[in-house]
Amino acid sequence: MQNLFSRKSPHHLLTVTFILSALPILTVVMFPARLNGVMAPEPYVVFHNIAEFFSIMVSLSIFGVGWFTYERSGNRHALFLSAAFLAIGLMDFMHTMSNAAMPAFITPNSSNKSTRFWVAARLFQAAVFLAGAYIYPERQIRWLSRKVLMTSALLMPGIVFTGIVFFPELVPATHIQGTGLTPFKKISEYLAVVLLCISAAAYWRRMRKTGDRVIIYYLAAFIICIFSEIVFASYTKVFDTYNVLGHLYKIAAFYMMYKGIFIASVSEPYIKLVDMTVSRDELSREVEERRRAEEALRESEQSYHSLFENMVEGCAYCRMLFDDRGQPADFVYLDVNSAFGRLTGLQNVVGKKVTQVIPGIKESHPELLETYGRVALTGRPEKFEIEFLPLKVWLSLSVYSTEKGHFVAVFDNITARKGAEENIAQLNLELNQRVGELERSNRELEQFAHITSHDLREPLRMVSSYMQLIERRYKGKLDKDADEFIDFAVRGSEHMQALLKDLQVYSRVGRDEEPFVSTNLNFALKRAHDNLQSAIKESHADIMYEKLPSVYAHEIQMVQVFQNLMANAIKFRGMEKPCIRISAGQMGDEWVIQVRDNGIGIAPEYFDRIFLMFKRLHTRDKYPGTGAGLAICKKIVERHGGRIWVESEKGKGATFYFTIPEKRQGQGSWVMGHG
């Protein structure tokens, strides 16, 4: 059994114990007509006395093993249980001697008297098991002495004996002749079951924590005892099958307890003794290894001390001092390195209190002592920065504890860094102010451009109208130079109107405050396609596009981007008819839209220039326009949080790319849709 319990999983062993314990009860319940009977009084008394005296002998054996091996085993848990089983054995003896079929035990015997001793023994047993869960074999407990345990083991049965034998009227009845068990007896049995369940949980937790396999025997005993108490709380007649079954459970449970105590008090100490017995050669090797280890330790200490002395950071090893309330009050410098004095300017501090070295530190920095004290007590390291006023420096501190009540402080002087951080913060503040000023200036410029382009268009329209009127009325009536001058003026005014119109569109991009909404780019592309219908038909352009996603955007501005890019592709076409392909793909957290054409292309040195306002690569005679289209596209895309660029070679077409973020901050998520 011992080998079986040491090899198998605790879950499996306890499951088997539970099933084997439950099987007899289930069998009797399933076949009551055959198995649930009543014994004759004479054979029952013989069985009862044999079972009880066996339990008493096991209890006294547990006491003998645990008590008299304590000097060798040192197992306080086994000592506690052994003393408890002495008391349990004595109370079971009183229960047996008080049986109604036995001669008078000082006072007349009865089932009530015998059952009272039984209830006292079982409640005491359950309470002892629960208390034992918190007594560990090697843990020092001041009250857990042999004298106290022996006194308690004799005093408890003495109190029970006195109360039941000499003062029976003070003890609740447990059995009434002709009626059966009283509610007090049943409640007591169920209370014992509850205590046993709590004990089993506590011992299981203890076994998981310590890995002590001996506890399996105790857990098995608890399971069997629980079934025993359930049976004794439910039997109807003193001599029936349930009563007999309960005594058999008790014998099995006591045997398991004996196995556990025997292993803990005898087997394990013996195994430890065998393990500790080594030969002379082994002992010599251990001595030699220890000597080498000590030499290595000395070398290591020298290396660490050299490292300690040559550290760039200051280092102080200190012992914390506490007041009567346990609060940190001071600390003593036990050792400091050379960098300590260089960084702080303090000298000859070893052996002195900090309040002597730095007067007023408790008043100026009480939180520093609290932190040191907390680290010295808990062992949890802490790192922080502090403006140390007594020395007028900033320090970066790392504090940890090597042993309780002591701490090591490693620090560096960061005054220069803090000064630089303050300068950087001031520069950032000034930069933010400048950025704010630039933003205001940009808004004013945008407003100025909008107002200028809007207000100049009307007088320019008037000038253009009158120049056109002069052209119609006087063209051919004046000399050739006059006709040429009039033509220049008309074309100039028309170009100026186009420039002002594009300038107004450009300025409106930054002024539009309409919120972005979920926009299907397929619809925006369709509107741009419709707007360019006449140019597409005239150039016989082929426009192909894949399904585009939905994004958070300004729909009108997306129409402008597609319209400008397609118009440029049609305008700057080569000898072949224009072929434009529009597609989209996801890259990271943004969508990349590409517009590819087969036009005249762009030389790489002009990639940046083409996105500037009113910057042209060709004359207006060859390719009309103001040069504002791509600048407007760039401003729209950047307002949406994206980028725009071009890839091209001269004579090989161009591909324009622009990105739109998949999700804009503060606008939530979106679901992709296709047109």
Side-chain angles (χ1 to χ4, degrees):
M1 179 68 74
Q2 180 179 346
N3 292 335
L4 178 65
F5 269 65
S6 62
R7 290 195 304 265
K8 299 296 183 181
S9 166
H11 295 86
H12 296 161
L13 295 171
L14 297 179
T15 301
V16 171
T17 301
F18 181 86
I19 294 173
L20 293 179
S21 301
L23 193 59
I25 294 180
L26 293 176
T27 305
V28 174
V29 171
M30 292 174 62
F31 305 101
R34 297 183 180 181
L35 300 177
N36 189 11
V38 179
M39 296 178 62
E42 293 79 7
Y44 173 79
V45 171
V46 174
F47 164 77
H48 176 269
N49 288 349
I50 291 174
E52 287 299 329
F53 277 115
F54 178 83
S55 300
I56 294 167
M57 290 173 61
V58 173
S59 297
L60 296 179
S61 298
I62 292 174
F63 165 72
V65 170
W67 188 269
F68 294 107
T69 61
Y70 175 70
E71 294 294 337
R72 177 68 64 181
S73 69
N75 192 316
R76 294 180 180 274
H77 179 259
L79 179 69
F80 173 78
L81 290 181
S82 67
F85 267 92
L86 174 61
I88 293 170
L90 293 175
M91 284 188 278
D92 280 341
F93 176 77
M94 298 173 192
H95 159 72
T96 305
M97 298 304 296
S98 299
N99 191 284
M102 298 289 286
F105 182 54
I106 302 178
T107 58
N109 290 348
S110 65
S111 297
N112 182 49
K113 178 181 177 183
S114 175
T115 309
R116 283 173 171 174
F117 280 114
W118 171 270
V119 170
R122 301 290 76 79
L123 288 176
F124 177 75
Q125 174 183 305
V128 164
F129 288 160
L130 181 57
Y134 301 98
I135 298 174
Y136 288 79
E138 298 178 356
R139 180 177 295 177
Q140 295 289 339
I141 303 176
R142 282 181 288 182
W143 60 266
L144 192 64
S145 65
R146 301 183 76 175
K147 183 182 295 184
V148 172
L149 290 175
M150 180 57 74
T151 302
S152 302
L154 297 177
L155 183 61
M156 185 64 191
I159 294 172
V160 172
F161 173 79
T162 302
I164 294 175
V165 173
F166 297 108
F167 301 98
E169 68 278 2
L170 300 178
V171 183
T174 57
H175 185 275
I176 299 175
Q177 191 67 30
T179 302
L181 302 179
T182 65
F184 172 76
K185 201 272 184 183
K186 294 183 178 181
I187 292 173
S188 299
E189 296 286 4
Y190 289 128
L191 177 59
V193 170
V194 171
L195 293 176
L196 287 168
C197 291
I198 298 174
S199 302
Y203 269 93
W204 176 262
R205 183 170 177 269
R206 174 172 166 175
M207 183 174 65
R208 296 288 297 272
K209 179 180 178 182
T210 63
D212 186 0
R213 301 278 295 186
V214 176
I215 293 177
I216 298 177
Y217 291 98
Y218 303 145
L219 291 171
F222 297 160
I223 293 173
I224 300 172
C225 280
I226 289 171
F227 281 99
S228 174
E229 299 303 326
I230 292 173
V231 168
F232 281 120
S234 58
Y235 73 85
T236 56
K237 296 182 180 180
V238 176
F239 309 134
D240 64 6
T241 301
Y242 288 104
N243 198 310
V244 173
L245 192 59
H247 282 87
L248 295 176
Y249 279 134
K250 181 184 176 185
I251 291 172
F254 275 43
Y255 172 75
M256 285 295 180
M257 289 300 301
Y258 175 78
K259 288 284 292 185
I261 295 294
F262 184 85
I263 293 172
S265 301
V266 179
S267 297
E268 286 191 348
Y270 175 76
I271 293 172
K272 291 179 180 178
L273 182 63
V274 171
D275 292 339
M276 292 174 60
T277 304
V278 295
S279 65
R280 180 176 300 177
D281 293 340
E282 292 174 342
L283 186 58
S284 298
R285 284 197 299 271
E286 288 183 2
V287 171
E288 179 63 21
E289 290 175 0
R290 178 172 297 181
R291 185 185 64 79
R292 293 176 181 174
E294 290 175 351
E295 290 180 357
L297 180 60
R298 282 195 296 271
E299 293 176 357
S300 177
E301 289 177 349
Q302 291 174 357
S303 299
Y304 278 111
H305 191 269
S306 176
L307 176 64
F308 176 76
E309 281 298 323
N310 292 288
M311 286 177 61
V312 176
E313 296 84 2
C315 187
Y317 175 51
C318 308
R319 176 168 56 86
M320 202 71 208
L321 301 178
F322 300 90
D323 59 19
D324 296 337
R325 297 175 300 169
Q327 299 298 318
D330 209 337
F331 62 84
V332 177
Y333 290 103
L334 300 181
D335 196 5
V336 297
N337 65 352
S338 56
F340 178 91
R342 175 171 52 80
L343 294 175
T344 64
L346 302 174
Q347 302 295 331
N348 301 321
V349 300
V350 175
K352 296 180 181 179
K353 297 179 181 178
V354 69
T355 51
Q356 297 172 330
V357 177
I358 309 175
I361 187 174
K362 293 179 65 174
E363 291 74 23
S364 61
H365 293 288
E367 75 285 357
L368 194 60
L369 292 178
E370 291 178 5
T371 302
Y372 288 161
R374 184 166 58 249
V375 173
L377 289 177
T378 64
R380 290 193 295 270
E382 296 192 24
K383 185 175 183 179
F384 56 94
E385 295 178 354
I386 185 172
E387 185 179 9
F388 197 60
L389 299 177
L391 301 180
K392 298 180 181 179
V393 294
W394 272 91
L395 298 177
S396 172
L397 279 156
S398 296
V399 189
Y400 62 94
S401 178
T402 55
E403 57 181 310
K404 191 169 184 179
H406 296 70
F407 68 91
V408 176
V410 180
F411 64 92
D412 195 10
N413 189 326
I414 58 170
T415 306
R417 194 195 82 191
K418 281 295 182 179
E421 289 177 354
E422 291 179 1
N423 292 336
I424 292 173
Q426 182 62 32
L427 290 174
N428 284 335
L429 179 61
E430 295 176 0
L431 179 61
N432 290 333
Q433 293 174 348
R434 295 289 179 86
V435 169
E437 293 173 359
L438 286 174
E439 289 177 349
R440 287 193 298 273
S441 177
N442 284 338
R443 286 195 297 271
E444 292 171 357
L445 287 174
E446 288 177 352
Q447 186 176 11
F448 174 76
H450 177 74
I451 293 172
T452 301
S453 61
H454 180 272
D455 292 348
L456 288 180
R457 288 182 67 187
E458 182 60 27
L460 182 61
R461 186 187 64 79
M462 184 178 297
V463 171
S464 178
S465 298
Y466 279 111
M467 290 305 301
Q468 290 173 0
L469 181 61
I470 292 173
E471 182 182 29
R472 289 195 301 271
R473 182 173 298 180
Y474 297 106
K475 189 173 184 179
K477 297 179 180 181
L478 302 176
D479 58 16
K480 184 178 180 181
D481 290 339
D483 290 343
E484 187 177 358
F485 296 156
I486 292 172
D487 184 58
F488 286 157
V490 170
R491 285 198 296 167
S493 63
E494 290 175 349
H495 181 63
M496 180 62 73
Q497 280 188 323
L499 288 174
L500 290 176
K501 180 181 178 181
D502 287 343
L503 180 62
Q504 189 174 26
V505 172
Y506 185 81
S507 64
R508 190 182 296 123
V509 172
R511 292 170 53 80
D512 197 337
E513 296 181 354
E514 290 186 19
F516 292 171
V517 297
S518 181
T519 301
N520 192 321
L521 294 183
N522 297 283
F523 298 155
L525 179 59
K526 178 66 168 57
R527 292 182 62 179
H529 185 278
D530 293 342
N531 294 341
L532 296 172
Q533 195 61 240
S534 59
I536 293 172
K537 289 182 178 179
E538 180 184 347
S539 63
H540 304 288
D542 288 336
I543 300 178
M544 299 172 288
Y545 60 91
E546 301 175 358
K547 291 182 180 179
L548 304 179
S550 292
V551 296
Y552 272 95
H554 190 292
E555 183 174 355
I556 299 301
Q557 293 180 357
M558 289 294 101
V559 173
Q560 284 181 282
V561 172
F562 282 122
Q563 185 170 322
N564 286 346
L565 293 178
M566 288 194 296
N568 279 357
I570 294 172
K571 182 193 301 183
F572 297 104
R573 60 183 180 268
M575 300 302 294
E576 300 177 357
K577 70 175 183 178
C579 181
I580 305 170
R581 179 181 177 85
I582 303 169
S583 60
Q586 193 167 12
M587 185 173 66
D589 57 354
E590 60 184 6
W591 285 98
V592 181
I593 316 298
Q594 64 176 11
V595 180
R596 180 182 300 170
D597 63 54
N598 62 341
I600 62 175
I602 305 169
E605 59 266 25
Y606 299 118
F607 284 176
D608 294 331
R609 178 183 174 89
I610 61 175
F611 292 105
L612 299 178
M613 190 68 175
F614 302 138
K615 295 295 183 181
R616 299 173 51 85
L617 303 183
H618 308 278
T619 62
R620 288 193 300 274
D621 295 335
K622 187 173 184 180
Y623 294 104
T626 63
L630 290 178
I632 294 172
C633 291
K634 183 175 185 293
K635 190 169 184 180
I636 291 174
V637 170
E638 289 178 348
R639 181 175 181 248
H640 285 72
R643 300 166 289 123
I644 187 169
W645 70 95
V646 64
E647 293 180 0
S648 177
E649 292 184 27
K650 192 170 181 61
K652 295 185 178 180
T655 302
F656 284 86
Y657 300 88
F658 67 91
T659 64
I660 300 295
E662 180 183 16
K663 176 181 177 184
R664 289 181 60 84
Q665 186 175 0
Q667 292 178 316
S669 60
W670 64 280
V671 179
M672 176 179 172
H674 293 298

